Structure formats: C-alpha cells, structure tokens
Amino acid sequence: MITAALGDVAEFVNGFAFKPDDWHEDGTAIVRIQNLTDVTKPFNRTRRQLPERFKVQRGDLLVSWSATLGVFIWDSTDPAFVNQHIFKVVPQASRIDSGFLRHMLASAIRSMERHLHGATMKHINRAEFLATEIPLPALANQRRIAAILDQGERIQVKTLRAIHLLEDLSQSIFNDMFGQWLGTSTKLPSRPLAEWIDPMRPITYGILKPGIDVADGIPYVRVTDIQRGKIEVSSLRRTTEAIASEYQRSRLLPGDLLISIRGHVGRLAFVPLELEGANITQDSARLAVVDSDTAVFLRAAIESPGAQSWMARRTKGAAVRGINLGDLRELPIPLPSTSDISRFAEIHRQLELTSELANALVVPTFELFTSLQNRAFEGAL
C-alpha cells in the first residue's frame, strides 16, 4: 500500500493571530472556530490587509486544531480571513483529491489522541500531525473512495433530518388541531394548568438541598438531566433516604411530567418506569396528570410557541432566571373535546414510535460510516 505524510500532499497554513485591536464592526470577516461549529455565531471583522495565504474561498478545507478539533468546508462566497488555531488546507491537486483528503483528515484527527497536548485546552502538535501517514491510491481510486464516503455522510444527514422532521411534525399537528391559542384567532376556551393536574398530587417543586451524592440513595432529577425531551437516567445523582423522606410531596411516579422552572425554563420530560419513587430539585416542577392521553396533549400544549412565550414573559431574575409556581399554575391551556385530545395523543404516539425506529438507525448508520472511514484510512476500501 502506497502511503504519504499529510504534510507531503497538502500545505497547512495556520491562521493569522488577530489581536483585539484588529477587530472592527466592519471590514473582512475573521473565521474563528466558533464560526465553524455554529453558523449562527457572529463574525469578528478586520480592516487589515493580509497576504492571500490567509484568505479563505468557498470550498476551502479548514482544520480546527485547538480546543474543538474538526474538519470543515468553507461554504460562504463572502471574503474572509482565517484565524489562528485553524489550518487552511491547500491540497496538491496532482497528488490528492480534495474530497478524499477531507475524509482522511477526519480519520486522522480521530486517531490523534496520542498527539493531543495541553492540560485544559487540547491541541494537535503540528509536526506530529503533518507526519501522519495516509493511504495514497491513484487519483481515480481516491475519487471512488470519496464518493462512497460522501454517500455515507448523506445517509447520516438524511437520517438525522428525518428525526428532526418527525419531532417537529407532532407540534405542527397540535397547532393545526388546536391553534397557537395565545395571541391568535383561535376560538378554543382554556383553563389554567393547575386544573389539569391530579388534585391529590398538586404542582410542586422538589428538594431544596439534596446534599452530597450517595451511591445507594434516592435518585433525583436536575434541570441538566433533562435533555432533548428525555431524562438522562445514567447521569442522575442520589440523595439520602432521610432527605428524600422530607419531600414526599414531590415523589415521582411513572408518567409524571416534569418541567424545568429555573435556569432553562420550559424543558419537559416524562418520568420513566425506572424512576418510580425518585424525586426532583427545587429547579423543576412535577405535573401529575390524571391520564396518559391528557398528559401527551398537555406536554404538546406547554411546548407550543404560545405557551413558551407566555412563560418567558413571566420569567424573572438576574443571575438565575425562573418562573414561580403561582404563575405556572395559571398557564392557560386550550380546552378541546376529550375525543380530540385522544385523537391527538394517538397520532403523537404513532409519530413517536416512528421516531424511535428512526433513532434506532442512527447508531448503526454512524458506526457503519466510521467503519468505512477507518477502512479507507487503512487503505482497505
């Protein structure tokens, strides 16, 4: 197998070390790592005139080699300069295909753990990175391999897009059926959130001071444990039975709906079976809904833009923002017929089942793509 060092098939131009004095409100955009990882981040700009080697063009390969490691394609037609901690990669067109090189760089970075340096901010050692050997088949074969890996990437993107569309579809159906009743022309009556809750288990927050983590204690849910609409059970901390017993009022049952009320207001998640008897902190509230159909409807209602906006207007605080329980209890929820609630709940469950099947494809899809990249990196594809 013919191989070549990365530094022998491309030039790696480190970005310019801009200083705060170089920044201006207008001028040429400065590409920082945060602009690569999040396209919504604003650009710093400069009026400096720099050599062409620091300028990026659409389609250029960029490698972030400090803190957040990754390979990116610059996709803007606007002129820009590359900042330090980013390599602008200039392939030798006669030796290596740009698409093939992009995948090889991604594989190289994944295998670069032994080249990472720094205690708090990891970074790649330039000399070791450029000395990394990659397979170098003929150009035609490089393009064939790049095409296979590109197709694998497209499958990944489509799978994730389908999952996001399914997640959005449930809310769209809710809006079509019931309307975004706050500030719209909907004619549905409403009643406050507190009246949708089991009167024997009213809306409440949880433990004020859970204390140190106890290995065999009672698990409790923090706001940070509510991620992407689910409770990250593996990350839960535990408190003593003595402390938990003081907060029987906020004890959880399967099917309870949790909502964050401090920090990130409005995160929602259902309590799974394995958390029966668990608890929450003062930063979340428990919504004990009488039946499962109503619980599904209620969650969609609270997740709607209208309800989120209503809560945002009542969220207060400087350092830590939150909504008090008195306001939360008054959150107006539309009052459709029981049959419409059940119909929406059934549609939602079917969508959720489809989403679960799609999610089940994510791991094997990503594992297959990683395997293909590894085989290509080893010269076996």
Side-chain angles (χ1 to χ4, degrees):
M1 179 180 67
I2 299 174
T3 64
L6 285 173
D8 290 337
V9 295
E11 181 183 5
F12 289 77
V13 181
N14 193 26
F16 186 79
F18 290 98
K19 297 179 174 59
D21 290 345
D22 297 322
W23 301 345
H24 296 280
E25 292 184 1
D26 55 10
T28 305
I30 300 171
V31 183
R32 297 174 293 164
I33 292 175
Q34 67 176 15
N35 300 123
L36 299 176
T37 58
D38 185 350
V39 295
T40 66
K41 293 291 185 182
F43 288 100
N44 286 340
R45 294 183 176 273
T46 185
R47 296 173 185 166
R48 292 193 62 154
Q49 297 301 312
L50 298 176
E52 282 293 313
R53 68 178 184 275
F54 295 117
K55 185 175 289 185
V56 291
Q57 306 288 345
R58 187 172 191 175
D60 279 348
L61 282 176
L62 302 176
V63 173
S64 58
W65 56 267
S66 180
T68 302
L69 309 182
V71 183
F72 306 89
I73 299 178
W74 184 244
D75 194 34
S76 174
T77 56
D78 295 333
F81 291 126
V82 67
N83 195 31
Q84 63 180 339
H85 304 310
I86 301 174
F87 291 138
K88 172 186 169 183
V89 184
V90 185
Q92 294 181 21
S94 62
R95 299 193 66 192
I96 193 162
D97 175 72
S98 177
F100 176 79
L101 177 59
R102 178 173 70 88
H103 290 293
M104 292 302 97
L105 287 169
S107 294
I109 286 175
R110 280 205 312 273
S111 65
M112 284 294 291
E113 190 170 2
R114 62 190 175 92
H115 292 164
L116 296 183
H117 300 269
T120 57
M121 182 178 290
K122 299 296 184 182
H123 64 273
I124 289 174
N125 178 283
R126 178 186 175 92
E128 293 176 346
F129 181 62
L130 299 189
T132 301
E133 294 282 327
I134 63 169
L136 195 68
L139 279 170
N141 203 20
Q142 291 179 30
R143 296 186 186 103
R144 177 187 67 83
I145 293 169
I148 293 172
L149 295 175
D150 287 347
Q151 180 64 18
E153 273 188 333
R154 284 192 288 270
I155 292 172
Q156 286 182 313
V157 170
K158 287 180 179 179
T159 302
L160 293 175
R161 188 176 296 160
I163 291 170
H164 293 152
L165 288 173
L166 284 169
E167 292 171 349
D168 293 340
L169 183 56
S170 179
Q171 190 63 61
S172 295
I173 292 172
F174 176 89
N175 292 336
D176 286 343
M177 290 182 67
F178 309 114
Q180 299 178 32
W181 68 100
L182 293 173
T184 68
S185 60
T186 180
K187 297 299 189 291
L188 278 179
S190 66
R191 67 179 184 181
L193 176 61
E195 295 183 15
W196 293 83
I197 305 304
D198 183 350
M200 301 301 294
R201 302 175 68 224
I203 299 173
T204 185
Y205 58 80
I207 301 171
L208 297 180
K209 295 181 179 180
I212 62 172
D213 191 21
V214 180
D216 58 347
I218 305 299
Y220 60 92
V221 181
R222 302 163 296 165
V223 173
T224 188
D225 299 317
I226 302 175
Q227 299 288 339
R228 299 175 297 279
K230 296 184 182 298
I231 298 171
E232 299 287 344
V233 177
S234 61
S235 68
L236 296 185
R237 294 182 179 178
R238 295 171 180 267
T239 188
T240 64
E241 291 189 13
I243 292 176
S245 66
E246 297 177 11
Y247 293 88
Q248 287 294 324
R249 69 167 192 268
S250 51
R251 181 174 173 269
L252 303 181
L253 293 176
D256 284 346
L257 183 59
L258 303 185
I259 179 171
S260 58
I261 58 173
R262 293 181 77 232
H264 297 277
V265 175
R267 290 185 183 179
L268 292 145
F270 283 117
V271 175
L273 287 171
E274 62 264 39
L275 290 186
E276 182 173 359
N279 219 301
I280 54 177
T281 67
Q282 62 179 323
D283 299 330
S284 299
R286 185 203 61 207
L287 309 179
V289 191
V290 176
D291 66 86
S292 59
D293 282 359
T294 303
V296 169
F297 165 78
L298 199 63
R299 174 174 182 164
I302 298 173
E303 286 178 333
S304 71
Q308 292 288 318
S309 176
W310 188 96
M311 290 188 293
R313 292 195 299 272
R314 290 158 179 80
T315 297
K316 305 169 184 176
V320 179
R321 294 179 60 77
I323 185 171
N324 64 57
L325 289 188
D327 285 334
L328 183 65
R329 293 185 182 106
E330 294 301 317
L331 172 63
I333 303 295
L335 186 59
S337 66
T338 302
S339 60
D340 280 346
I341 289 177
S342 297
R343 185 159 62 93
F344 171 76
E346 179 59 27
I347 292 171
H348 174 85
R349 291 190 183 99
Q350 291 300 322
L351 289 174
E352 199 169 52
L353 178 60
T354 305
S355 181
E356 288 175 2
L357 293 173
N359 272 292
L361 295 174
V362 171
V363 172
T365 299
F366 276 64
E367 287 178 346
L368 175 60
F369 179 72
T370 300
S371 174
L372 286 172
Q373 274 196 323
N374 290 340
R375 289 180 62 192
F377 190 64
E378 294 163 1
L381 188 61

